Amino acid sequence: MPSSLLLKISVLSLLNLASSLPTTIFHDNTRTCQEYIIPITTTTVEAIPAFQPFRDNFDVVDFVNQIAARDAAKSFAPFSGTRNATHSYDISGTICWPTVQTEQAKTILLATPGLGFDKRYWDIQMNAEEYSFVDYAISRGYSVFFYDRLGTGLSSKVSGYDGAQASTHLAILKQLSVLLRSGQYTGGVGKPSKLAHVGHSFGSFLSQGLITQNPELSDGALFTGLAWDSSSQPPALESMGLRIANTQSEGRWVGLDNQYLTSGDIAGNAAFFFHGDSYDKQMLWYSDSVAQPLAIIELLTLTTLITGPSKFHGPVMVISGEFDFPLCGGNCTDTLRGPAELFFSNATDLQTVVHPKTGHAINYSFNATGAYAVMLDYLHKHQV
Ligand SMILES: *[C@@H]1O[C@H](CO)[C@@H](O)[C@H](O)[C@H]1NC(C)=O
Ligand SMILES: *[C@@H]1O[C@H](CO)[C@@H](O)[C@H](O)[C@H]1NC(C)=O
Ligand SMILES: *[C@@H]1O[C@H](CO)[C@@H](O)[C@H](O)[C@H]1NC(C)=O
Ligand SMILES: *[C@@H]1O[C@H](CO)[C@@H](O)[C@H](O)[C@H]1NC(C)=O
Ligand SMILES: *[C@@H]1O[C@H](CO)[C@@H](O)[C@H](O)[C@H]1NC(C)=O
């Protein structure tokens, strides 16, 4: 934990013996946060991998070349079929609400991070006043629930070969939405009046899947780092220089198998997540210090989250960095509107925003709060 966090948040940490779940409460004069470990059981349809697990980094680079190949769609079939599966997991989530009661506090923003990061993406602790989405949302009176995706942070570890599938992540997001709406794991917020979904990148695809399959569970959606140009992904994937995470940083990511990958060096992170001079190099090092490996199965199952038009009729905003490389091929201008209209045809006041002069990781770039302001002004305008 960065020492600034320790300085910033004071006080009491307690073990809730009654529920036998460890919960910790942090207070300061702007926000109060409670941490939970949430047991969740999912039943989903899983893909069955047809490829060999990675033994070493040469297997990884061959595999990435295969999926990034010009004719990959024709030549490469990663799965042999599907199976029904039931699993139980522990998910680490944090709820923060304004310490001083506000009208908006009864709206919870349920934030899902993207690949490469855990829940700390939403609560950046270096120059938090310029970068932390949680702090910004609290300053606008909102409450935020943010969590570690399965396989990241303090949530359960699973195999990166067949465990951390998109369908499983989606089932977890669905259950978290149901639990929060019913007032469980909401700390001092109690039962919320509204639940809005916020995502970054893979977290936005998951949130898109949620409002498509279960539109009744959301009152509004803010998708950051989202676009649908699949031809952009192969070069971006290559640019990361993916390597087996446990060969990169000994002892850092305990319990992850060889199917969890991370950039070979920090420049690989810069290539994928950042653009030009739109960020502070110190922030790149900070983001690297909180980075999480991605599971190969996450990449391979991502497209199962995009299942067609959503019936969702609440407000939807898509906001992506102008120069987003992985999702827009380095230029998001004029690429968001068309597909967004197809997917969210029944949304109220659909907005697509090209956030100027940044790459994929909006929150880690200069003017992060400029994006947050656009997002929360929009929710506020629609009384969410
Ligand atoms: C999965 O379960 C559904 C019913 O929920 C069933 O129709 C389907 O055949 C099952 N699939 C497999 C592969 O067992
Ligand atoms: C959008 O709403 C219209 C009118 O209610 C309906 O006919 C249409 O099926 C809806 N679209 C989707 C994708 O549900
Ligand atoms: C980005 O795309 C837009 C729309 O196609 C185009 O007008 C603009 O020139 C492009 N920007 C760059 C830097 O190529
Ligand atoms: C970035 O800020 C947006 C604003 O909503 C938030 O949804 C997202 O989770 C944040 N991600 C990062 C990386 O800060
Ligand atoms: C900051 O972001 C907002 C929202 O995208 C934008 O309107 C504004 O022009 C940006 N400011 C700069 C200096 O790029």
Side-chain angles (χ1 to χ4, degrees), residues 309-311 345-346:
S310 168
K311 288 186 172 16
S345 53
N346 283 358

Side-chain angles (χ1 to χ4, degrees), residues 11-193:
V11 204
L12 63 150
S13 146
L14 56 97
L15 203 60
N16 183 340
L17 298 169
S19 70
S20 83
L21 295 173
T23 77
T24 310
I25 295 181
F26 304 114
H27 260 294
D28 71 13
N29 52 15
T30 60
R31 60 189 236 179
T32 307
C33 302
Q34 182 154 6
E35 298 189 338
Y36 294 106
I37 299 292
I38 304 170
I40 290 201
T41 297
T42 60
T43 297
T44 57
V45 180
E46 289 184 346
I48 304 169
F51 55 92
Q52 290 302 309
F54 306 138
R55 293 159 305 180
D56 56 31
N57 282 323
F58 301 102
D59 284 351
V60 173
V61 295
D62 273 347
F63 190 83
V64 170
N65 281 355
Q66 245 183 309
I67 60 179
R70 177 159 53 86
D71 50 5
K74 279 178 282 170
S75 62
F76 181 60
F79 301 116
S80 61
T82 59
R83 63 182 172 229
N84 291 335
T86 297
H87 303 284
S88 294
Y89 306 109
D90 286 333
I91 298 299
S92 161
T94 303
I95 177 105
C96 295
W97 63 93
T99 299
V100 177
Q101 188 59 43
T102 65
E103 198 183 318
Q104 248 70 44
K106 285 279 178 193
T107 294
I108 296 178
L109 309 178
L110 169 44
T112 305
L115 297 184
F117 296 105
D118 60 23
K119 67 183 177 185
R120 290 172 293 182
Y121 177 83
W122 299 106
D123 196 22
I124 293 165
Q125 288 301 315
M126 188 185 119
N127 301 343
E129 68 288 356
E130 287 173 44
Y131 292 97
S132 166
F133 176 70
V134 175
D135 280 2
Y136 187 83
I138 294 279
S139 78
R140 298 287 302 264
Y142 286 94
S143 299
V144 186
F145 180 95
F146 50 120
Y147 68 102
D148 290 329
R149 272 193 342 279
L150 181 64
T152 71
L154 302 175
S155 290
S156 298
K157 299 286 185 279
V158 293
S159 167
Y161 183 63
D162 59 0
Q165 305 212 0
S167 58
T168 308
H169 289 305
L170 179 54
I172 290 168
L173 177 57
K174 177 181 168 182
Q175 288 196 40
L176 288 175
S177 303
V178 170
L179 288 165
L180 294 178
R181 290 187 84 88
S182 74
Q184 294 179 71
Y185 306 105
T186 57
V189 180
K191 194 171 187 298
S193 58

